[in-house]
Amino acid sequence: MALDDTKHSATEARLASMVVPDVGCTSEARQEALARLRSMGLPHRRDEYWKFTRPDTLVQPEPPQAALFDDGEAPVFDSFDRLKIVFVDGMFDPELSDDLTLEGVVIDRLEDVCCSTEHWAEDFYGTLEAAGQVPVDRPLAALNTAYAGDGVTIRVTGRPSKPINLIYTHEATASDVFLHHVVRVEEGACATILENGPAAARFNNCMEVDVADGGTLHVVRAQGRDHERRAVTNLFARLGRESVFKCFTLTANGVLTRNECVVTLTGDDAVAHVAGAAMGDGDFHQDDTVFITHDAERCESRQVFKKVLSNGAVGVFQGKILVKPGAQKTDGYQISQSMLLDGDSEFLVKPELEIYADDVACSHGSTSGAIDEDALYYLRARGLPKDIATDLLTLAFVAEAVEEIEDDALREEINGQLATWLDWRKG
């Protein structure tokens, strides 16, 4: 079907000043992604999956300005022993990064993929993004595959002794960054990937993850308190037999953040947990859009999202569980909840179940409301000031999502970041 004039014009205006990077072996995948993008067009508010989030500033030709933000706090994960991979305004910085050698894992820059013979990522780049375009168009992911200027490939062959930390720093007020990472977890291997940092004035990040039979990957992301960040992230994961994929995202402030996660369970007895906590104040719009497909037997999926919103902030959750024919014994669970700290904030929700198997246990639920006044009264009656009591109830509210982080130290770090946000909000 031909694009309408509005989408066609907006798409061509965005692409007019952009050049597809000439990166050898990924050139064919990039051209295919560009063709997909032109056929579907950039997102518009009239699109079903964008009706709650205005994509205008994500697709306009010039990126909005974003002031540099430094609140004086140490960056998240700084207390951890981890392998650091640093990008400054979208470019890998070898001086700020650690040596990319670590037992049990092979890491290369995306631009170095073609410098070695038969690199595993040559035929992988863009494949999960392309598959994830059905049944829902994800044009900003296709835009990323076509134009990403940097990124890393990560092949996990064993059990690295420490996590891999992708750090995104922001030094230009008008930076427009595309990063694309591809991750392969081999059979029986296990790793943790951390992501954090403001990244850019406008940030488009894509990660493709393939977890082989018996493999395990944990991803923990912290999207920080910089006020003017605009970002869209796309995470595509494919899971083999008895594999495990768990992802948690903390979003605290930022003008506009859209996190899309597309997971396909293709092997029997696979497990996928996707969770997030968002805390926003004022001019804050945060959107979690998740699509999990069960295409094998006895698989488990969890979607757990909690949002705390104040002073007119907006939270969005769109989550779907699709159970294909033959995916018997599926166990799918989805919960999305918000705590609205005033009458001006909004929580917009679209939960979905689509089931074509008859022996499944699937459920979803969504609630939205104010802080529990009875619980607040109980705490204050025992001598706690109102602000401390409110903070304790807020942390208790998001705890179900944070508990999805298996590592105790990482869970404690995220709880610390949540407490820091609460202190910052009070001024």
Side-chain angles (χ1 to χ4, degrees), residues 14-95:
R14 177 73 172 102
L15 302 183
S17 60
M18 301 180 71
V19 178
V20 175
D22 182 16
V23 190
C25 61
T26 63
S27 294
E28 182 177 351
R30 291 173 183 274
Q31 291 300 327
E32 290 173 354
L34 184 57
R36 287 195 297 276
L37 175 61
R38 283 199 157 106
S39 68
M40 67 182 77
L42 288 170
H44 188 277
R45 185 69 182 273
R46 289 184 302 225
D47 295 343
E48 176 65 21
Y49 270 75
W50 286 87
K51 67 179 181 180
F52 296 139
T53 299
R54 295 192 65 90
D56 309 30
T57 56
L58 296 174
V59 304
Q60 68 188 40
E62 296 298 324
Q65 295 282 317
L68 304 184
F69 183 85
D70 181 5
D71 63 356
E73 295 286 338
V76 65
F77 306 132
D78 259 20
S79 62
F80 286 81
D81 180 22
R82 77 272 196 222
L83 188 150
K84 296 182 294 182
I85 304 176
V86 181
F87 295 87
V88 179
D89 287 323
M91 296 300 296
F92 174 73
D93 191 319
E95 294 185 0

Coordinates of all heavy atoms in Angstrom, one line a residue, residues 14-95:
R14 N 13.0 13.7 6.6 CA 14.0 13.2 7.6 C 15.2 12.6 6.9 O 16.3 12.7 7.4 CB 13.3 12.2 8.4 CG 14.2 11.5 9.5 CD 14.4 12.5 10.6 NE 15.2 11.8 11.7 CZ 16.4 12.0 12.0 NH1 17.2 12.7 11.2 NH2 17.0 11.4 13.0
L15 N 15.0 11.9 5.8 CA 16.1 11.2 5.2 C 17.0 12.0 4.3 O 18.1 11.6 3.9 CB 15.6 10.0 4.4 CG 14.7 9.0 5.1 CD1 14.3 7.8 4.2 CD2 15.5 8.4 6.3
A16 N 16.5 13.2 3.9 CA 17.1 14.0 2.9 C 18.6 14.4 3.3 O 19.5 14.4 2.4 CB 16.3 15.3 2.7
S17 N 18.8 14.6 4.6 CA 20.2 15.0 5.0 C 21.0 13.9 5.6 O 22.1 14.1 6.1 CB 20.1 16.2 6.0 OG 19.4 15.7 7.1
M18 N 20.5 12.7 5.5 CA 21.1 11.5 6.1 C 21.8 10.7 5.1 O 21.4 10.6 3.9 CB 20.1 10.7 6.9 CG 19.4 11.4 8.0 SD 18.2 10.4 8.9 CE 19.3 9.3 9.8
V19 N 22.9 10.1 5.5 CA 23.7 9.2 4.6 C 23.9 7.8 5.2 O 24.3 7.8 6.4 CB 25.1 9.8 4.3 CG1 25.9 8.9 3.4 CG2 24.9 11.2 3.6
V20 N 23.5 6.8 4.5 CA 23.7 5.4 5.0 C 25.2 5.2 5.1 O 25.9 5.3 4.1 CB 23.0 4.4 4.1 CG1 23.3 3.0 4.6 CG2 21.5 4.6 4.0
P21 N 25.7 4.8 6.3 CA 27.1 4.5 6.4 C 27.6 3.4 5.5 O 26.9 2.4 5.3 CB 27.3 4.1 7.9 CG 26.1 4.7 8.6 CD 25.0 4.6 7.6
D22 N 28.8 3.6 5.0 CA 29.4 2.6 4.1 C 30.2 1.6 4.9 O 31.4 1.8 5.2 CB 30.3 3.2 3.0 CG 30.8 2.2 2.0 OD1 30.3 1.1 2.0 OD2 31.8 2.5 1.3
V23 N 29.5 0.6 5.5 CA 30.1 -0.3 6.4 C 30.1 -1.7 5.8 O 29.4 -2.6 6.2 CB 29.5 -0.3 7.8 CG1 30.3 -1.1 8.8 CG2 29.3 1.1 8.3
G24 N 30.7 -1.9 4.6 CA 31.0 -3.1 4.0 C 29.9 -4.2 4.1 O 28.9 -4.1 3.5
C25 N 30.1 -5.2 4.9 CA 29.3 -6.4 5.0 C 27.9 -6.1 5.5 O 27.0 -6.9 5.4 CB 29.9 -7.5 5.8 SG 30.2 -7.0 7.5
T26 N 27.6 -5.0 6.2 CA 26.3 -4.6 6.6 C 25.5 -3.8 5.6 O 24.4 -3.4 5.9 CB 26.3 -3.9 8.0 OG1 27.0 -2.7 7.8 CG2 27.0 -4.8 9.0
S27 N 26.1 -3.5 4.5 CA 25.5 -2.6 3.5 C 24.2 -3.1 3.0 O 23.2 -2.4 2.9 CB 26.5 -2.3 2.4 OG 27.6 -1.6 2.8
E28 N 24.2 -4.4 2.7 CA 22.9 -5.0 2.2 C 21.8 -4.9 3.2 O 20.7 -4.6 2.9 CB 23.2 -6.4 1.8 CG 21.9 -7.1 1.1 CD 22.2 -8.5 0.7 OE1 23.4 -8.9 0.7 OE2 21.2 -9.2 0.3
A29 N 22.1 -5.2 4.5 CA 21.1 -5.2 5.5 C 20.6 -3.7 5.7 O 19.4 -3.5 6.0 CB 21.7 -5.7 6.8
R30 N 21.5 -2.8 5.6 CA 21.1 -1.4 5.7 C 20.2 -0.9 4.6 O 19.2 -0.2 4.8 CB 22.4 -0.5 5.8 CG 23.2 -0.7 7.0 CD 24.5 0.1 7.0 NE 25.4 -0.1 8.1 CZ 25.3 0.6 9.3 NH1 24.4 1.5 9.4 NH2 26.1 0.3 10.3
Q31 N 20.5 -1.3 3.4 CA 19.7 -1.0 2.3 C 18.3 -1.6 2.4 O 17.2 -1.0 2.0 CB 20.3 -1.3 0.9 CG 21.6 -0.5 0.6 CD 21.3 1.0 0.5 OE1 20.2 1.4 0.1 NE2 22.2 1.8 0.9
E32 N 18.2 -2.9 2.9 CA 17.0 -3.5 3.1 C 16.2 -2.8 4.1 O 14.9 -2.7 4.0 CB 17.2 -5.0 3.4 CG 17.7 -5.8 2.3 CD 18.1 -7.2 2.7 OE1 18.0 -7.5 4.0 OE2 18.4 -8.1 1.9
A33 N 16.8 -2.4 5.2 CA 16.1 -1.6 6.3 C 15.6 -0.3 5.7 O 14.5 0.1 6.1 CB 17.1 -1.4 7.4
L34 N 16.4 0.4 4.9 CA 15.9 1.6 4.3 C 14.7 1.4 3.4 O 13.8 2.2 3.4 CB 17.1 2.3 3.5 CG 16.8 3.6 2.9 CD1 16.4 4.7 3.9 CD2 18.0 4.1 2.1
A35 N 14.7 0.3 2.7 CA 13.5 0.0 1.9 C 12.3 -0.3 2.7 O 11.2 0.2 2.4 CB 13.8 -1.2 1.0
R36 N 12.5 -1.0 3.8 CA 11.4 -1.2 4.8 C 10.9 0.1 5.3 O 9.6 0.3 5.4 CB 11.8 -2.1 6.0 CG 12.1 -3.5 5.7 CD 12.2 -4.4 6.9 NE 13.3 -4.0 7.8 CZ 14.5 -4.5 7.6 NH1 14.8 -5.3 6.6 NH2 15.5 -4.2 8.5
L37 N 11.8 1.0 5.7 CA 11.4 2.3 6.2 C 10.6 3.1 5.3 O 9.5 3.6 5.6 CB 12.6 3.0 6.7 CG 12.4 4.5 7.2 CD1 11.5 4.5 8.4 CD2 13.7 5.1 7.5
R38 N 11.0 3.1 4.0 CA 10.3 3.9 3.0 C 8.9 3.3 2.7 O 8.0 4.0 2.4 CB 11.1 4.0 1.7 CG 12.3 5.0 1.8 CD 12.8 5.4 0.5 NE 13.4 6.7 0.5 CZ 14.7 6.9 0.4 NH1 15.5 5.8 0.3 NH2 15.3 8.1 0.5
S39 N 8.8 2.0 2.8 CA 7.5 1.4 2.6 C 6.5 1.6 3.7 O 5.3 1.7 3.5 CB 7.6 -0.1 2.3 OG 8.0 -0.8 3.5
M40 N 7.0 1.7 4.9 CA 6.1 1.9 6.1 C 5.9 3.4 6.5 O 4.9 3.8 7.1 CB 6.5 1.0 7.3 CG 7.8 1.4 7.9 SD 8.3 0.3 9.3 CE 8.9 -1.1 8.4
G41 N 7.0 4.1 6.2 CA 7.0 5.5 6.6 C 7.3 5.7 8.1 O 7.1 4.8 8.9
L42 N 7.8 6.9 8.5 CA 8.1 7.2 9.9 C 6.8 7.3 10.7 O 5.7 7.5 10.1 CB 8.9 8.5 10.0 CG 10.3 8.4 9.5 CD1 10.9 9.8 9.5 CD2 11.1 7.5 10.5
P43 N 6.8 7.0 12.0 CA 5.6 7.0 12.7 C 4.8 8.3 12.8 O 5.5 9.4 12.7 CB 6.0 6.6 14.1 CG 7.5 7.0 14.2 CD 8.0 6.8 12.8
H44 N 3.5 8.2 12.9 CA 2.7 9.4 12.9 C 1.7 9.2 14.1 O 1.4 8.0 14.4 CB 1.9 9.6 11.6 CG 1.1 10.9 11.5 ND1 -0.1 11.0 12.0 CD2 1.4 12.1 11.0 CE1 -0.6 12.2 11.8 NE2 0.4 12.9 11.2
R45 N 1.2 10.2 14.7 CA 0.3 10.1 15.8 C -1.0 9.3 15.5 O -1.6 8.7 16.3 CB -0.1 11.5 16.3 CG -1.0 11.5 17.6 CD -0.2 11.1 18.8 NE -1.0 11.0 20.0 CZ -1.2 12.0 20.8 NH1 -0.6 13.2 20.6 NH2 -1.9 11.9 21.9
R46 N -1.3 9.2 14.2 CA -2.5 8.5 13.8 C -2.2 7.0 13.8 O -3.2 6.2 13.7 CB -3.0 8.9 12.4 CG -3.6 10.3 12.4 CD -4.2 10.6 11.1 NE -3.2 10.6 10.0 CZ -3.0 11.5 9.1 NH1 -3.8 12.5 9.0 NH2 -2.1 11.3 8.2
D47 N -1.0 6.6 13.8 CA -0.7 5.1 13.9 C -1.1 4.5 15.2 O -1.0 5.2 16.2 CB 0.8 4.9 13.7 CG 1.3 5.4 12.3 OD1 0.5 5.5 11.4 OD2 2.6 5.5 12.2
E48 N -1.7 3.3 15.1 CA -2.3 2.7 16.3 C -1.3 2.6 17.5 O -1.6 2.9 18.6 CB -2.8 1.3 16.0 CG -3.3 0.5 17.1 CD -4.6 1.1 17.7 OE1 -5.3 1.9 17.0 OE2 -4.9 0.8 18.9
Y49 N 0.0 2.2 17.2 CA 0.9 2.1 18.3 C 1.6 3.4 18.7 O 2.6 3.3 19.5 CB 1.9 1.0 17.9 CG 1.5 -0.4 18.3 CD1 0.5 -1.1 17.6 CD2 2.0 -1.0 19.5 CE1 0.0 -2.3 18.0 CE2 1.6 -2.3 19.9 CZ 0.6 -2.9 19.2 OH 0.1 -4.1 19.6
W50 N 1.2 4.5 18.1 CA 1.7 5.8 18.5 C 0.6 6.7 19.0 O 0.9 7.9 19.1 CB 2.5 6.4 17.4 CG 3.9 5.7 17.2 CD1 4.1 4.6 16.4 CD2 5.1 6.0 17.8 NE1 5.4 4.3 16.5 CE2 6.1 5.1 17.4 CE3 5.5 7.1 18.7 CZ2 7.4 5.2 17.8 CZ3 6.8 7.1 19.1 CH2 7.7 6.2 18.7
K51 N -0.6 6.2 19.2 CA -1.7 7.1 19.6 C -1.5 7.8 20.9 O -2.1 8.8 21.2 CB -3.0 6.4 19.5 CG -3.2 5.3 20.5 CD -4.6 4.6 20.3 CE -4.8 3.6 21.4 NZ -6.2 2.9 21.2
F52 N -0.7 7.2 21.8 CA -0.5 7.8 23.1 C 0.8 8.6 23.2 O 1.0 9.3 24.2 CB -0.4 6.7 24.2 CG -1.7 5.9 24.4 CD1 -1.6 4.5 24.5 CD2 -2.9 6.5 24.4 CE1 -2.7 3.7 24.7 CE2 -4.1 5.7 24.5 CZ -4.0 4.4 24.7
T53 N 1.6 8.6 22.2 CA 2.9 9.2 22.2 C 3.2 10.0 20.9 O 3.2 9.4 19.9 CB 4.0 8.2 22.5 OG1 3.8 7.5 23.7 CG2 5.4 8.9 22.5
R54 N 3.4 11.3 21.0 CA 3.6 12.0 19.8 C 5.1 11.8 19.4 O 6.0 12.2 20.1 CB 3.4 13.5 20.1 CG 2.0 13.9 20.4 CD 1.8 15.4 20.4 NE 1.9 15.9 19.0 CZ 1.0 16.1 18.1 NH1 -0.3 15.7 18.4 NH2 1.2 16.6 16.9
P55 N 5.3 11.3 18.1 CA 6.6 11.0 17.7 C 7.3 12.2 17.0 O 8.4 12.1 16.5 CB 6.4 9.9 16.7 CG 5.0 10.2 16.1 CD 4.2 10.8 17.2
D56 N 6.6 13.4 17.0 CA 7.1 14.5 16.2 C 8.6 14.8 16.4 O 9.4 14.9 15.4 CB 6.3 15.8 16.5 CG 4.8 15.6 16.4 OD1 4.4 14.4 16.7 OD2 4.1 16.5 16.1
T57 N 9.0 15.0 17.6 CA 10.4 15.4 17.9 C 11.4 14.2 17.6 O 12.6 14.5 17.5 CB 10.6 15.9 19.3 OG1 10.2 14.9 20.2 CG2 9.8 17.2 19.5
L58 N 10.9 13.0 17.5 CA 11.8 11.9 17.2 C 12.0 11.7 15.7 O 12.9 11.0 15.3 CB 11.1 10.6 17.7 CG 11.0 10.5 19.3 CD1 10.2 9.2 19.6 CD2 12.3 10.5 20.0
V59 N 11.1 12.3 14.9 CA 11.2 12.1 13.4 C 11.6 13.4 12.7 O 11.9 13.4 11.5 CB 9.9 11.5 12.9 CG1 9.6 10.2 13.6 CG2 8.8 12.5 13.0
Q60 N 11.5 14.6 13.3 CA 11.8 15.8 12.6 C 13.2 15.9 12.1 O 14.1 15.3 12.8 CB 11.4 17.0 13.5 CG 12.4 17.2 14.7 CD 11.9 18.3 15.6 OE1 10.7 18.4 15.9 NE2 12.8 19.0 16.2
P61 N 13.5 16.6 11.0 CA 14.9 16.5 10.5 C 15.9 17.0 11.5 O 17.0 16.4 11.6 CB 14.8 17.5 9.3 CG 13.3 17.4 8.9 CD 12.6 17.3 10.1
E62 N 15.7 18.1 12.2 CA 16.7 18.6 13.1 C 16.4 18.2 14.5 O 15.2 18.3 15.0 CB 16.7 20.2 13.1 CG 17.1 20.7 11.7 CD 18.6 20.3 11.4 OE1 19.4 20.2 12.3 OE2 18.8 20.0 10.2
P63 N 17.4 17.7 15.3 CA 17.1 17.3 16.7 C 16.9 18.5 17.6 O 17.5 19.5 17.4 CB 18.4 16.6 17.1 CG 19.5 17.2 16.2 CD 18.8 17.5 14.9
P64 N 16.0 18.3 18.5 CA 15.8 19.4 19.5 C 17.0 19.6 20.3 O 17.8 18.7 20.5 CB 14.6 18.9 20.4 CG 14.0 17.8 19.6 CD 15.1 17.2 18.7
Q65 N 17.2 20.8 20.8 CA 18.4 21.1 21.7 C 18.1 20.4 23.1 O 17.0 20.3 23.5 CB 18.5 22.6 21.9 CG 18.9 23.3 20.6 CD 20.4 23.2 20.3 OE1 21.3 23.3 21.1 NE2 20.7 22.9 19.0
A66 N 19.2 20.0 23.7 CA 19.1 19.4 25.0 C 20.3 19.9 25.8 O 21.5 19.6 25.5 CB 19.1 17.9 25.0
A67 N 20.0 20.7 26.9 CA 21.1 21.2 27.7 C 21.8 20.0 28.4 O 21.2 19.0 28.7 CB 20.5 22.1 28.8
L68 N 23.1 20.2 28.6 CA 23.9 19.2 29.3 C 23.5 19.2 30.7 O 23.2 20.2 31.3 CB 25.4 19.5 29.1 CG 25.9 19.6 27.7 CD1 27.4 19.8 27.7 CD2 25.6 18.4 26.9
F69 N 23.5 18.0 31.3 CA 22.9 17.9 32.7 C 24.0 17.2 33.6 O 24.5 16.1 33.2 CB 21.7 17.0 32.6 CG 21.0 16.8 33.9 CD1 20.1 17.8 34.4 CD2 21.2 15.7 34.7 CE1 19.4 17.6 35.6 CE2 20.5 15.6 35.9 CZ 19.7 16.5 36.4
D70 N 24.2 17.8 34.7 CA 25.2 17.2 35.7 C 24.6 17.6 37.0 O 24.7 18.7 37.5 CB 26.6 17.8 35.5 CG 27.6 17.1 36.5 OD1 27.1 16.2 37.2 OD2 28.7 17.6 36.5
D71 N 24.1 16.6 37.7 CA 23.5 16.8 39.0 C 24.5 16.6 40.2 O 24.1 16.6 41.3 CB 22.3 16.0 39.3 CG 22.6 14.5 39.2 OD1 23.7 14.1 39.0 OD2 21.6 13.7 39.4
G72 N 25.8 16.3 39.8 CA 26.8 16.1 40.8 C 26.8 14.7 41.4 O 27.7 14.4 42.2
E73 N 25.9 13.8 41.1 CA 25.9 12.5 41.6 C 26.8 11.6 40.7 O 27.0 11.8 39.5 CB 24.5 11.9 41.4 CG 23.4 12.6 42.3 CD 23.6 12.2 43.8 OE1 24.2 11.2 44.1 OE2 23.1 13.0 44.7
A74 N 27.4 10.6 41.4 CA 28.3 9.7 40.7 C 27.4 8.9 39.7 O 26.3 8.5 40.1 CB 28.9 8.7 41.7
P75 N 27.9 8.6 38.5 CA 27.1 7.8 37.5 C 26.7 6.5 38.1 O 27.4 5.9 38.9 CB 28.0 7.7 36.4 CG 29.0 8.8 36.5 CD 29.2 9.0 38.0
V76 N 25.5 6.0 37.7 CA 25.1 4.7 38.1 C 26.0 3.6 37.7 O 26.7 3.7 36.7 CB 23.6 4.4 37.5 CG1 23.7 4.4 36.0 CG2 23.0 3.2 38.1
F77 N 26.1 2.6 38.5 CA 27.0 1.4 38.3 C 28.5 1.7 38.5 O 29.3 0.8 38.3 CB 26.8 0.8 36.9 CG 25.4 0.4 36.5 CD1 24.9 0.8 35.3 CD2 24.6 -0.3 37.4 CE1 23.6 0.5 35.0 CE2 23.3 -0.6 37.1 CZ 22.8 -0.2 35.9
D78 N 28.8 2.9 39.0 CA 30.3 3.2 39.1 C 30.9 2.4 40.3 O 32.1 2.2 40.3 CB 30.4 4.7 39.4 CG 30.9 5.5 38.2 OD1 30.7 5.0 37.1 OD2 31.4 6.6 38.4
S79 N 30.1 1.9 41.2 CA 30.7 1.1 42.3 C 30.9 -0.3 41.9 O 31.5 -1.1 42.7 CB 29.8 1.2 43.5 OG 28.5 0.6 43.2
F80 N 30.6 -0.7 40.6 CA 30.7 -2.1 40.2 C 32.0 -2.4 39.5 O 32.5 -1.5 38.7 CB 29.5 -2.5 39.3 CG 28.2 -2.7 40.1 CD1 27.5 -1.6 40.5 CD2 27.8 -3.9 40.5 CE1 26.3 -1.7 41.2 CE2 26.6 -4.1 41.2 CZ 25.9 -3.0 41.5
D81 N 32.5 -3.5 39.6 CA 33.6 -4.0 38.8 C 33.0 -4.5 37.5 O 32.3 -5.5 37.5 CB 34.4 -5.1 39.5 CG 35.6 -5.6 38.6 OD1 36.0 -4.9 37.7 OD2 36.0 -6.8 38.9
R82 N 33.2 -3.7 36.4 CA 32.6 -4.1 35.1 C 33.5 -3.7 34.0 O 34.4 -2.9 34.2 CB 31.2 -3.5 35.0 CG 31.2 -2.0 34.6 CD 31.2 -1.1 35.8 NE 30.8 0.2 35.5 CZ 31.3 1.3 35.9 NH1 32.4 1.3 36.7 NH2 30.9 2.5 35.5
L83 N 33.3 -4.3 32.8 CA 34.0 -3.9 31.6 C 33.3 -2.7 31.0 O 32.1 -2.8 30.6 CB 34.1 -5.0 30.7 CG 35.0 -4.8 29.4 CD1 35.6 -6.1 29.0 CD2 34.3 -4.1 28.3
K84 N 33.9 -1.5 30.9 CA 33.3 -0.3 30.5 C 33.5 -0.1 29.0 O 34.6 -0.2 28.5 CB 33.8 0.9 31.2 CG 33.5 0.9 32.7 CD 34.0 2.2 33.4 CE 35.5 2.2 33.4 NZ 36.1 3.4 34.1
I85 N 32.4 0.1 28.3 CA 32.5 0.5 26.8 C 31.8 1.8 26.7 O 30.6 1.9 26.9 CB 31.8 -0.6 26.0 CG1 32.4 -1.9 26.2 CG2 31.9 -0.2 24.5 CD1 31.8 -3.1 25.4
V86 N 32.5 2.9 26.4 CA 32.0 4.3 26.5 C 31.8 4.8 25.1 O 32.7 4.8 24.2 CB 32.9 5.2 27.3 CG1 32.4 6.6 27.4 CG2 33.2 4.6 28.7
F87 N 30.6 5.4 24.9 CA 30.3 6.2 23.7 C 30.1 7.6 24.0 O 29.3 7.9 24.9 CB 29.1 5.6 23.0 CG 29.3 4.2 22.5 CD1 29.0 3.1 23.3 CD2 29.7 3.9 21.2 CE1 29.2 1.8 22.9 CE2 29.9 2.6 20.7 CZ 29.6 1.6 21.6
V88 N 30.8 8.5 23.3 CA 30.6 10.0 23.5 C 29.8 10.5 22.3 O 30.4 10.5 21.2 CB 31.9 10.7 23.7 CG1 31.7 12.2 23.9 CG2 32.7 10.1 24.9
D89 N 28.6 11.0 22.6 CA 27.8 11.5 21.5 C 27.8 10.5 20.3 O 27.8 10.9 19.1 CB 28.2 12.9 21.0 CG 27.9 14.0 22.0 OD1 26.8 13.9 22.6 OD2 28.7 14.9 22.2
G90 N 27.6 9.2 20.7 CA 27.4 8.2 19.7 C 28.7 7.6 19.1 O 28.6 6.8 18.2
M91 N 29.9 8.0 19.5 CA 31.1 7.5 19.0 C 31.9 6.8 20.1 O 32.1 7.3 21.2 CB 32.0 8.6 18.4 CG 31.3 9.3 17.1 SD 31.0 8.1 15.8 CE 32.7 7.7 15.4
F92 N 32.4 5.6 19.8 CA 33.2 4.8 20.7 C 34.4 5.6 21.1 O 35.1 6.2 20.3 CB 33.6 3.5 20.1 CG 34.5 2.7 20.9 CD1 34.1 2.1 22.1 CD2 35.9 2.5 20.5 CE1 35.0 1.3 22.8 CE2 36.7 1.8 21.3 CZ 36.3 1.2 22.4
D93 N 34.7 5.7 22.4 CA 35.9 6.4 22.9 C 36.8 5.4 23.5 O 36.6 4.9 24.7 CB 35.4 7.4 24.0 CG 36.6 8.4 24.3 OD1 37.7 7.9 24.5 OD2 36.3 9.6 24.5
P94 N 37.9 5.0 22.8 CA 38.8 4.0 23.4 C 39.5 4.4 24.6 O 39.9 3.6 25.4 CB 39.8 3.7 22.2 CG 39.7 5.0 21.4 CD 38.3 5.5 21.5
E95 N 39.7 5.7 24.8 CA 40.5 6.2 26.0 C 39.7 6.1 27.2 O 40.2 5.8 28.3 CB 40.9 7.6 25.7 CG 42.0 7.8 24.6 CD 42.5 9.2 24.5 OE1 42.0 10.1 25.3 OE2 43.3 9.5 23.7

